[in-house]
Amino acid sequence: ATIEARWRSRWEFANRYIKPNSSVLDGGCGDGVLGEILLREKNCKVYGLDVSHYAMELAKKRGVDVRHCDISFDLFPFEDNSFDVATYLCSLEHVVDPVHALQETCRVVKPRGTILVTLPNAVYFFYRLGFLKGIVPLDFLHIKPGEGMHIQFYNYRNEFEDRVLSKIPQIK
């Protein structure tokens, strides 16, 4: 229930900032829950990218037009300036090269478009307590089918800005 509540808060965050009838790219779309919400509640045109064939099948069943793409390395299969909004809801920590992913995102998002990013708080107090006791939080392990392995984490100070955003001049 706690994990579901955290995911729901991310979907609500994105839903709050996405206008009706927007064209949306959901990077690392997973099972397509956000896309389904945007299709149903906002009449958006939603395209997803994911590397997991299992997750892609789930997203397709939810109505998302999903494409196979490793956002760490591949060029996104879309024309320049195709989207009003791009989302990365707790997906960039699964990516080897988030700078590449965001550079490609800048290419396919329209000028003055929006890129929404959420990242998990890997240094959350209760996670730290668990680690001290030798317990790895289950949501770090990603043991369910279609869940990608965590590759890197960022803190909430300026680490994401310093390690990723500072390398992408198009993002302000």
Side-chain angles (χ1 to χ4, degrees), residues 153-170:
F153 287 103
Y154 306 95
N155 66 30
Y156 277 91
R157 298 269 176 202
N158 292 319
E159 192 172 275
F160 184 72
E161 289 89 347
D162 293 343
R163 287 177 40 201
V164 178
L165 295 183
S166 67
K167 296 179 173 91
I168 307 167
Q170 305 96 304

Side-chain angles (χ1 to χ4, degrees), residues 31-163:
D31 62 7
V33 172
L34 174 63
E36 180 181 34
I37 291 168
L38 294 173
L39 288 164
R40 186 180 61 241
E41 295 180 12
K42 299 259 179 137
N43 196 37
C44 291
K45 192 173 208 178
V46 181
Y47 295 86
L49 297 175
D50 211 286
V51 72
S52 165
H53 292 287
Y54 176 81
M56 288 174 59
E57 287 306 314
L58 296 174
K60 285 178 186 176
K61 289 178 183 174
R62 294 179 188 274
V64 177
D65 185 345
V66 64
R67 315 285 169 88
H68 186 266
C69 182
D70 184 337
I71 62 176
S72 291
F73 308 108
D74 296 341
L75 297 178
F76 294 2
F78 302 105
E79 301 280 328
D80 295 0
N81 306 319
S82 296
F83 299 97
D84 300 309
V85 180
T87 64
Y88 291 95
L89 303 187
C90 287
S91 57
L92 290 178
E93 70 277 5
H94 300 273
V95 174
V96 173
D97 189 355
V99 171
H100 170 80
L102 289 172
Q103 285 173 328
E104 272 297 285
T105 303
C106 288
R107 180 183 67 78
V108 300
V109 170
K110 295 174 183 174
R112 315 276 304 158
T114 301
I115 302 171
L116 299 173
V117 175
T118 65
L119 298 165
N121 183 358
V123 294
Y124 176 57
F125 178 73
F126 288 109
Y127 291 166
R128 290 180 186 199
L129 286 177
F131 281 125
L132 286 171
K133 295 178 183 177
I135 300 168
V136 178
L138 287 179
D139 44 334
F140 273 40
L141 297 178
H142 282 255
I143 55 177
K144 295 179 183 170
E147 292 181 332
M149 180 176 65
H150 286 119
I151 294 173
Q152 54 194 324
F153 287 103
Y154 306 95
N155 66 30
Y156 277 91
R157 298 269 176 202
N158 292 319
E159 192 172 275
F160 184 72
E161 289 89 347
D162 293 343
R163 287 177 40 201

